Amino acid sequence: TIAAMTTEASVSATAQSGLPSPARTDYYWIRSFISGGVAGCCAKTTIAPLDRVKILLQAQNPHYKHLGVFETLCAVPKKEGFLGLYKGNGAMMVRIFPYGAIQFMAFDHYKQFLRKKLGISGHVHRLMAGSLAGMTAVICTYPLDVVRARLAFQVKGEHRYTGIAHAFQTIYKQKEGGVLGFYRGLTPTIIGMAPYAGFSFFTFGTLKSLGLIHAPELLGKPSLDNPDVLVLKTHVNLLCGGIAGAIAQTISYPLDVVRRRMQLGIVLPDSDKCLTLTNTLKHVYKQYGIKRGLYRGLSLNYIRCVPSQAVAFTTYELMKQILHLN
């Protein structure tokens, strides 16, 4: 995820310059919280139109299911206006800020736990810590992700929810299981997050390490907030993040499709066939196949990787410098 990628750079830098002293621990966490949150919000806003289209295609929205990615990008503004591309983004902003903070703190905690308590280090260390941190952040912010998906799936003139608060109220009061209604699709999300976050950390961290070790002058530059620390150049961060995101998405994408369909619940006409992970996988496969079902919208996710990682890394590094405590 975006937060996962940005925090890896921060953790690596911290490891090279030494852990913050106890007197600065609070400032360190506050700075990380704000930096990760702002970076995530900027990155998600940049790719919000692509996220909206992805949800519409994944769940086979009747108004757009006959269209491709670029056709849908053009059709949404015509049917719903330009702001239609950002439907559901408000809920995403509310979710992504704490998501980034929780994921960073969880990653740091799990990393120390695995190294000190279990003696695990290296690539496996990064893979496991990233997976656990991603799952922790998902569980804590999942209800907001469900609401965001519901709002993004709506089409102008056929609104079921008027906003974030109304969506929460409606989902809770209607026959969707009360509080449990906000956790529909959590199982495939957690199962999918493990390989997604894990491989994201593994791939990005490995590429980053190789780049700084074998070609530091070509790929690296001194950090502006700490000249003693070498960081990847912006365009190299972009490339490494894009590769990591593409690999992780390819592995976990079918579970992402299942998650969206389960989240949308009664909004979908075939919701009775999407109650469990196994049933939803079977239904999507039998009804739509692999390419137009389980991997529908994947090309859009590849396109999302480059701009989202560019904005996330650039914003995160800038915020760290702005909030640096001398």
Side-chain angles (χ1 to χ4, degrees):
T1 61
I2 293 174
M5 297 300 168
T6 54
T7 54
E8 173 68 11
S10 175
V11 171
S12 296
T14 303
Q16 294 178 50
S17 58
L19 291 173
S21 63
R24 298 185 61 189
T25 299
D26 291 340
Y27 297 107
Y28 172 76
W29 289 118
I30 291 174
R31 186 179 68 175
S32 299
F33 183 97
I34 296 175
S35 299
V38 172
C41 288
C42 290
K44 279 295 184 181
T45 299
T46 301
I47 63 170
L50 297 175
D51 275 341
R52 172 94 203 280
V53 169
K54 185 184 76 168
I55 291 175
L56 292 172
L57 294 180
Q58 281 183 336
Q60 309 286 340
N61 187 287
H63 294 275
Y64 304 105
K65 67 178 182 180
H66 61 288
L67 302 176
V69 173
F70 294 106
E71 291 174 312
T72 304
L73 275 172
C74 295
V76 170
K78 292 180 181 178
K79 183 175 181 61
E80 307 177 55
F82 178 75
L83 293 180
L85 292 171
Y86 291 87
K87 189 171 292 183
N89 193 52
M92 174 56 74
M93 294 300 97
V94 174
R95 169 184 174 267
I96 201 64
F97 201 100
Y99 182 94
I102 293 171
Q103 190 170 48
F104 174 81
M105 289 184 286
F107 175 75
D108 191 53
H109 173 77
Y110 289 132
K111 194 173 183 182
Q112 291 184 38
F113 175 80
L114 291 170
R115 184 176 64 249
K116 295 180 179 179
K117 301 295 183 180
L118 302 181
I120 300 174
S121 60
H123 296 309
V124 174
H125 172 243
R126 186 185 295 116
L127 182 70
M128 293 177 66
S131 298
L132 291 170
M135 291 188 288
T136 300
V138 163
I139 292 173
C140 292
T141 60
Y142 192 75
L144 285 167
D145 195 30
V146 171
V147 169
R148 182 256 177 169
R150 299 288 182 97
L151 294 175
F153 186 72
Q154 295 184 136
V155 175
K156 187 176 182 180
E158 299 179 7
H159 282 194
R160 186 185 187 90
Y161 314 107
T162 58
I164 297 175
H166 181 250
F168 269 106
Q169 183 181 18
T170 304
I171 294 172
Y172 179 76
K173 290 185 176 181
Q174 288 187 349
K175 297 179 180 179
E176 296 194 49
V179 175
L180 294 178
F182 293 107
Y183 287 90
R184 283 177 60 97
L186 179 61
T187 300
T189 302
I190 293 177
I191 295 175
M193 180 53 67
Y196 179 80
F199 278 101
S200 293
F201 271 104
F202 174 81
T203 306
F204 179 77
T206 300
L207 292 175
K208 177 169 173 283
S209 298
L210 291 174
L212 292 178
I213 291 174
H214 297 290
E217 295 183 358
L218 178 64
L219 305 179
K221 65 177 181 179
S223 173
L224 294 179
D225 62 333
N226 189 345
D228 295 328
V229 175
L230 194 65
V231 297
L232 290 177
K233 294 179 180 177
T234 302
H235 68 280
V236 181
N237 267 329
L238 169 63
L239 178 61
C240 293
I243 294 174
I247 292 175
Q249 280 290 344
T250 302
I251 294 172
S252 63
Y253 193 76
L255 289 169
D256 189 35
V257 173
V258 170
R259 170 176 66 107
R260 288 301 182 196
R261 294 188 71 87
M262 292 182 71
Q263 282 181 341
L264 292 170
I266 62 175
V267 174
L268 297 176
D270 56 356
S271 61
D272 59 315
K273 299 178 181 178
C274 301
L275 299 177
T276 67
L277 168 61
T278 304
N279 288 342
T280 306
L281 273 172
K282 290 180 179 179
H283 172 66
V284 174
Y285 175 71
K286 291 180 179 179
Q287 190 73 21
Y288 305 104
I290 296 178
K291 183 178 179 180
R292 298 191 62 81
L294 296 177
Y295 279 93
R296 181 170 173 78
L298 178 61
S299 60
L300 182 61
N301 266 20
Y302 288 148
I303 297 173
R304 289 168 64 246
C305 287
V306 174
S308 69
Q309 294 307 316
V311 174
F313 279 114
T314 302
T315 306
Y316 187 72
E317 291 301 319
L318 176 62
M319 289 301 299
K320 282 202 304 180
Q321 294 169 35
I322 293 175
L323 301 176
H324 179 64
L325 299 173
N326 294 312

